[in-house]
Amino acid sequence: MFGPAFSAGLVFPHDRVPLQSENPVEVLTEEAALTPSPGEELRVEALVGEDELVAQGQPLLRLRNAPQVALVAPMAGRIASLDLKSGRRLSQLLLFHEPDGGRHLFETGNAEVDGNALRALLQSSGLWRMFRSRPFGRMPHADEAPAAIFVMAVDSRPGAPAPSLALEGREEDFSRGLAALSQLTKDRLFLCEPAGKHFGGAVPAGLSRISCGRNHPQGLAGIQIHRHRPAAPEIRVWDIEAEDVADLGALLATGLLPGTRLVSVTGSALRERRLVRCQHGADLRGLSQPVVRPGAHEILSGSALDGRPAHWLGARDRQVTVSPRETGAVKHHWFGTALRKAARHLPVIPTAALDQAMGGDMPAAALLRAIASGDEETAVRLGALSLVEEDLALADYATGARPRLSKQLRIILNRIEAEEAPA
Amino acid sequence: MTRGLWDREMVAMLLLLALMPMALTWLWFGGAEAVGRLLFVLLISGLWHVIFMLARAQPPSFAGALTGLAVAMLAPQELSLLQLVLGISFGSVMAELIFGGWGRNVLNPATVTIAFLGFGFPAAPWPDFALPVAWAAIPALALGMLLGVMSARLIAGALAVILIAWLADLPIAPVLPAFGVVLALLVTDPVTSASTRTGGWLNGALYGALVTLFAFGWGHGAPVQVAVSAALLASLAAPLLDEIAIALWTARRRRRHG
C-alpha cells in the first residue's frame, strides 16, 4: 500500500556471527550426491554404472515416466554408489570428486530461438529440476506449459546470499537466459527484484518487473505469486532462481553447464559465516567443517526457518544453517508433561505479527485457520494453491504453532493433488 | 527448530501488559473494594479453569486474568456473591471453556458475563468510572496497538465513527469514558474481533455506530450498559464482517486475475 518504503514483513535480529569475507570462495567438496527433495518421488533409470568416471554435467539418471528428463553429474568424478528404493525410486546417488572427468558438452542447437528445442535442452541438462511448479510445488511435468514464470532475483530469508552477488559479472548470461525463458511461457515472465537494486542489463520485451520489499517474506516466490499471478490446477506458475537462469544463459552460449552455485553457510554454531561457490548436492559437512565451533550441532539444508536436517545440499537450496544441537533433556514436572500430552494443541491467536508473517495483504488468520482445520475449499479460495511449505515457515516461526502450519499445508496440497490426478 | 514468541500465552501476557495502565489506575481509585472484587472474580474464574484442566486437559491461560479484570471493572455493582458466582460461571464456562479454551471461543467470556449479569439483574446499578480511568484507556490502546496484539484498524474505525458523531453534535459526551474503557477491555480482544483488515475497520465502525445509536436513543441506559451492549452486538457480527471482507477480497482478486 505504501510501497517498498514500508515493507510488510518481520525484521530479524542482526546476525552476530561475523562474515568471513564479502567475496565468495570456491569450494568443491570431495563428495556430492543427487538426492530427491523432501516429498519428491523420482523413479529413475541409471545411464551409468557404479565406479564409472563421469564428466561434470553428464546425464547420470533419467526419469522412467519421462525419459527425456535427466539428472546430471554435479561435478567431474566417479560414481561411488547408487541407492534405489523399491519401485526404482531414487534414494541417493553418491559421487567422489575426480577432476580428470572433464566437462560434458551439450548440443544446444537452436534452443535460443525455438521453444521446443529449449525445452529439450533444459530437460536433458538437468536445469528442468530447478523449476518449481505451483500448485503443489514440484518439478514440472515434461510437457507442462506454464501460465507464468517468476524469476527470483531476490531472497529475503535471513542469512540468504544476495542473488545480485550471484549475478555479478554474469549479466550477459542472465539476459540471455531471460530471453530464452520468455519462449516457454504462454502468458508472462516476471522478474522479482529487491527495491532500489534493479538489474541493469538487457531484459526481453514483455517482462514484468516486480520490486519486492526489504523484509521477509516479501522475497519469497510464493508471496509474490499469491499477489501477482495466483496458481490453480489449470494455471501452472513456475518459479526459478536468478542464478539458475544465468546458468541457462551460459549453457546456451557455451554448451557447458556451470558447475557451482552461490551458497551461504550461516548459523549460530559457527565461528564465522562464509559465502562459498560449491557444486549442486555438495556435502554440507565439507562446507561447514572449517568454520564450525566445537560441540554438538545439527546441519540444515536451507534457512533456519525452512531448512531440514540433511547431509547433502538440497536441489534448490542456497543456504546451509548450522545450529547448536539441544543436548540434555529439560526437566519438566510430571503434571506439565501429562497435561501437554493429553491436551489439544494451543490455537494460534490472530495478531499483527501473524498478518506481517504472511506478507500483510492476504487474510492470513482466515487462511491459516482453514489450513489448520483441513478446510480445503476455503484454503483454495484464499489462495493456498499458490503457496508451498517455505511460505508458511515464517508464520510457523512467529507463532510457534504446533503442529506446524507448513506441514498441514502439505497435507492439504497432497489431498488436492490426489483429487486432481486423472484416474 | 527456532521459534518466535507470538504463541497463545505470550499474546495473553502482552494483552495484560497493555491493559496495565488502565487496571492500575482503576485499582488506585477503587481502593480495597476494587482489589477484593478483582481477587474474588479471579478466584471463581480460576476455579473453572482448574476444573476444565483436570477434567478435559485444557491448559489454563493467562487470558483468564483478562476476563477477570474486565468483569471486575465493568460488572454491575451491589450484586450478591451468589449472583456474581452465577454470572462468572456462566460466562467463562459457556462462552470460553466448553469451546476448548481461549483462542477457540466465539464470544468474549467477559462480554457474556457482564451482559448476563446486567440483563439478568436489572436492578443492580452499573459502575461509573473516575475520569482518570477512562483517560488511562488511551495508553492502554496505544500499547496494545504498538505490541501488535490489538487491531489498529479496529480502534481507528471506532474512533472515526465517534469523531464524526461528536462533530455532528450528537449527545455522546456522557458515554465517552465507558466507550474507551470497553473498547480496550472487550472490543479489541484479538480472538473474538474481526481478523481481516477490512473486517477490522467494519468491526470498529460498527461498535462506534452502535454506541452512538444507543447513546442517542436508549433513554435510561447507563453508559457502561450502552457500551457493553454495543460490544456484545459488534462481537456477534464479527464473523459476518470477516466473511464480507473476504468476499470483497476474493471479488477484487477475481477481477484482477480472472
Side-chain angles (χ1 to χ4, degrees):
Chain A
M1 193 190 295
F2 303 105
F6 293 91
S7 157
L10 299 184
V11 181
F12 282 84
H14 188 68
D15 205 334
R16 272 176 311 202
V17 183
L19 186 64
Q20 193 177 45
S21 151
E22 294 285 339
N23 301 319
V25 283
E26 182 151 334
V27 176
L28 286 187
T29 56
E30 281 308 307
E31 300 176 8
L34 293 177
T35 48
S37 313
E40 189 182 29
E41 196 167 85
L42 295 170
R43 287 172 187 270
V44 295
E45 224 169 306
L47 300 172
V48 290
E50 284 190 8
D51 227 22
E52 213 170 290
L53 189 67
V54 295
Q56 182 259 325
Q58 181 180 337
L60 303 181
L61 302 167
R62 65 176 186 214
L63 299 190
R64 279 167 72 79
N65 56 359
Q68 65 272 42
V69 179
L71 304 184
V72 303
M75 59 180 176
R78 203 169 283 282
I79 310 285
S81 69
L82 169 61
D83 299 333
L84 297 180
K85 292 182 278 190
S86 62
R88 293 182 172 273
R89 282 173 301 147
L90 178 65
S91 167
Q92 160 177 319
L93 187 153
L94 180 65
L95 296 109
F96 292 147
H97 187 210
E98 262 185 47
D100 314 336
R103 298 180 76 180
H104 185 77
L105 185 66
F106 287 95
E107 194 57 59
T108 56
N110 54 353
E112 225 169 313
V113 288
D114 177 13
N116 287 332
L118 176 70
R119 185 176 282 263
L121 178 67
L122 283 166
Q123 294 178 348
S124 64
S125 66
L127 280 176
W128 192 252
R129 206 169 163 224
M130 299 301 126
F131 288 113
R132 179 170 51 185
S133 163
R134 300 174 198 238
F136 316 127
R138 308 209 190 278
M139 174 167 72
H141 293 298
D143 51 1
E144 191 175 300
I149 299 180
F150 280 70
V151 176
M152 301 305 295
V154 57
D155 192 345
S156 56
R157 278 173 280 211
S164 56
L165 186 62
L167 293 182
E168 229 169 61
R170 305 184 64 187
E171 287 79 5
E172 250 176 64
D173 285 343
F174 185 56
S175 298
R176 192 178 302 112
L178 275 180
L181 274 192
S182 57
Q183 305 166 36
L184 270 186
T185 158
K186 51 186 180 191
D187 188 4
R188 285 166 88 186
L189 183 63
F190 290 88
L191 174 60
C192 301
E193 305 169 286
K197 261 200 210 165
H198 290 284
F199 172 65
V203 295
L207 175 98
S208 315
R209 306 181 85 143
I210 299 171
S211 278
C212 304
R214 187 164 11 95
N215 296 338
H216 195 49
Q218 298 299 330
L220 282 180
I223 300 299
Q224 299 299 340
I225 290 174
H226 188 279
R227 189 174 298 159
H228 294 285
R229 190 77 182 90
E234 65 285 357
I235 304 171
R236 298 283 173 162
V237 179
W238 296 359
D239 65 271
I240 186 169
E241 299 285 335
E243 193 179 13
D244 296 325
V245 176
D247 284 356
L248 170 64
L251 174 68
L252 286 170
T254 61
L256 296 171
L257 190 66
T260 59
R261 68 162 50 157
L262 182 66
V263 171
S264 69
V265 184
T266 59
S268 48
L270 297 182
R271 277 183 285 114
E272 47 188 6
R273 294 178 288 146
R274 68 196 297 221
L275 284 167
V276 296
R277 289 188 198 277
C278 65
Q279 71 269 57
H280 296 208
D283 181 5
L284 301 185
R285 275 157 191 76
L287 293 182
S288 57
Q289 192 269 332
V291 286
V292 78
R293 255 186 241 276
H297 57 268
E298 74 172 343
I299 304 185
L300 307 178
S301 175
S303 72
L305 299 178
D306 59 5
R308 309 154 302 280
H311 195 147
W312 313 102
L313 188 64
R316 294 175 51 89
D317 291 332
R318 289 180 152 72
Q319 196 179 349
V320 181
T321 308
V322 188
S323 47
R325 197 202 306 265
E326 303 291 335
T327 47
V330 189
K331 285 216 168 145
H332 292 295
H333 191 267
W334 63 268
F335 186 79
T337 314
L339 183 61
R340 245 193 317 281
K341 273 194 186 145
R344 288 164 77 191
H345 293 285
L346 294 182
V348 170
I349 309 293
T351 54
L354 184 66
D355 213 27
Q356 298 294 306
M358 297 295 289
D361 60 350
M362 60 176 98
L367 174 60
L368 295 184
R369 203 172 291 145
I371 288 173
S373 60
D375 177 357
E376 279 170 46
E377 203 178 313
T378 309
V380 168
R381 191 157 57 97
L382 297 178
L385 289 180
S386 301
L387 305 177
V388 296
E389 286 100 320
E390 66 173 30
D391 304 314
L392 293 192
L394 184 59
D396 268 329
Y397 166 82
T399 62
R402 291 290 179 277
R404 289 175 74 80
L405 296 162
S406 44
K407 282 208 177 110
Q408 301 186 69
L409 172 69
R410 179 43 73 188
I411 293 171
I412 285 197
L413 289 179
N414 284 348
R415 216 157 52 203
I416 297 173
E417 195 176 15
E419 285 165 10
E420 291 290 333
Chain B
M1 196 59 68
T2 53
R3 54 184 282 184
L5 49 78
W6 301 88
D7 62 357
R8 184 181 83 156
E9 288 314 297
M10 185 53 91
V11 173
M13 298 233 264
L14 289 176
L15 272 171
L16 262 181
L17 180 71
L19 291 178
M20 272 303 136
M22 206 168 69
L24 293 177
T25 322
W26 175 71
L27 285 175
W28 179 262
F29 283 93
E33 196 203 327
V35 175
R37 202 172 150 89
L38 179 60
L39 285 180
F40 180 73
V41 176
L42 285 178
L43 184 76
I44 302 295
S45 101
L47 209 62
W48 280 111
H49 275 83
V50 169
I51 290 175
F52 269 75
M53 173 172 74
L54 295 175
R56 298 263 307 262
Q58 282 178 17
S61 167
F62 283 109
L66 290 172
T67 311
L69 179 67
V71 171
M73 283 181 72
L74 296 173
Q77 312 278 323
E78 294 169 25
L79 290 170
S80 73
L81 283 189
L82 179 70
Q83 287 170 330
L84 257 184
V85 170
L86 249 176
I88 298 163
S89 303
F90 175 81
S92 41
V93 173
M94 299 309 278
E96 180 183 282
L97 291 170
I98 59 163
F99 288 99
W102 194 59
R104 295 199 164 89
N105 50 330
V106 182
L107 285 176
N108 187 329
T111 316
V112 173
T113 305
I114 299 159
F116 176 89
L117 288 173
F119 293 103
F121 311 108
W126 290 86
D128 220 352
F129 291 114
L131 218 48
V133 178
W135 283 115
I138 295 173
L141 289 168
L143 256 179
M145 277 197 282
L146 203 70
L147 294 171
V149 288
M150 293 182 185
S151 163
R153 293 179 176 78
L154 192 155
I155 296 170
L159 290 181
V161 169
I162 285 296
L163 190 69
I164 292 170
W166 188 66
L167 289 179
D169 265 343
L170 293 174
I172 53 156
V175 298
L176 275 184
F179 162 83
V181 172
V182 169
L183 181 64
L185 280 174
L186 303 180
V187 184
T188 49
D189 172 16
V191 174
T192 57
S193 58
S195 66
T196 52
R197 296 190 154 198
T198 320
W201 283 108
L202 292 175
N203 196 344
L206 178 63
Y207 169 65
L210 285 172
V211 167
T212 312
L213 180 71
F214 292 162
F216 192 55
W218 189 342
H220 305 293
V224 172
Q225 189 180 17
V226 161
V228 168
S229 309
L232 179 66
L233 291 176
S235 148
L236 278 170
L240 176 70
L241 301 176
D242 263 347
E243 217 30 63
I244 293 173
I246 289 173
L248 287 174
W249 182 81
T250 39
R252 208 165 53 227
R253 250 163 97 81
R254 196 167 301 129
R255 216 171 36 244
R256 188 181 321 154
H257 301 297

